[in-house]
Amino acid sequence: MTRIEEICAGKGMRLTPLRRKVARILAETHSPLGAYEIVERLARDGEQTPPMSVYRVLDFLVAEGLAHRIESRNAYLACTHSHGDEDVVVFLICEQCGLTQEVSSHAVGRDLAWAARAVGFVPRQRVLEIAGFCTHCRGAESPEAK
Ligand SMILES: [Zn+2]
Ligand SMILES: [Zn+2]
């Protein structure tokens, strides 16, 4: 079972076969996938799915907090851990291999909330995207050393 399947089972939420398949595809990857890449992967398994259906599934997963949308890449990633509502979710995106790691920070969330409040702003999304290089890519070929 994927983490998404486990959470849904725990909440008594119904996962349609397509939702289950998309959850599995997202669980298998460490870099965010675009909706059309997901359509392609489904097709590889002999499943012809209209992109609109995949978008609907992705909207559902994001709304339930089971997946995240990486705005800068217009792509999706399964949520790998639970975080509090106040936390800021930070995506560390490797520019070389696309590996995307999710970390969350309560301290950053608190500071941001404070800074936003100071200018009367109410944040709706608390997501940061940081581009850089993962351990693997740094080790293989250090970008700073070039
Ligand atoms: Zn998450
Ligand atoms: Zn990398």
Side-chain angles (χ1 to χ4, degrees), residues 5-48:
E5 289 173 290
E6 271 170 34
I7 292 172
C8 286
K11 284 186 181 175
M13 251 167 8
R14 210 174 129 260
L15 270 186
T16 60
L18 183 59
R19 285 178 181 176
R20 197 177 296 276
K21 280 180 193 134
V22 172
R24 291 215 171 125
I25 289 172
L26 287 177
E28 279 166 10
T29 175
H30 295 291
S31 30
L33 290 177
Y36 281 87
E37 288 173 279
I38 295 170
V39 170
E40 269 168 36
R41 285 184 194 216
L42 287 166
R44 236 181 280 156
D45 296 337
E47 193 93 21
Q48 296 300 330

Side-chain angles (χ1 to χ4, degrees), residues 3 65-68 77-83 89-91 102-104:
R3 186 170 178 273
L66 302 169
H68 295 292
L77 196 73
C79 177
T80 50
H81 64 291
S82 44
H83 26 79
V89 179
V90 185
F91 292 106
E102 178 182 347
V103 293
S104 65

Side-chain angles (χ1 to χ4, degrees), residues 93-101 132-138:
I93 306 167
C94 178
E95 290 181 316
Q96 205 142 311
C97 71
L99 174 82
T100 301
Q101 289 160 291
F133 296 94
C134 74
T135 340
H136 177 77
C137 293
R138 275 198 320 152

Side-chain angles (χ1 to χ4, degrees), residues 38-66:
I38 295 170
V39 170
E40 269 168 36
R41 285 184 194 216
L42 287 166
R44 236 181 280 156
D45 296 337
E47 193 93 21
Q48 296 300 330
T49 317
M52 268 320 292
S53 310
V54 171
Y55 273 115
R56 267 198 297 271
V57 170
L58 291 168
D59 284 346
F60 162 81
L61 294 174
V62 170
E64 294 295 331
L66 302 169

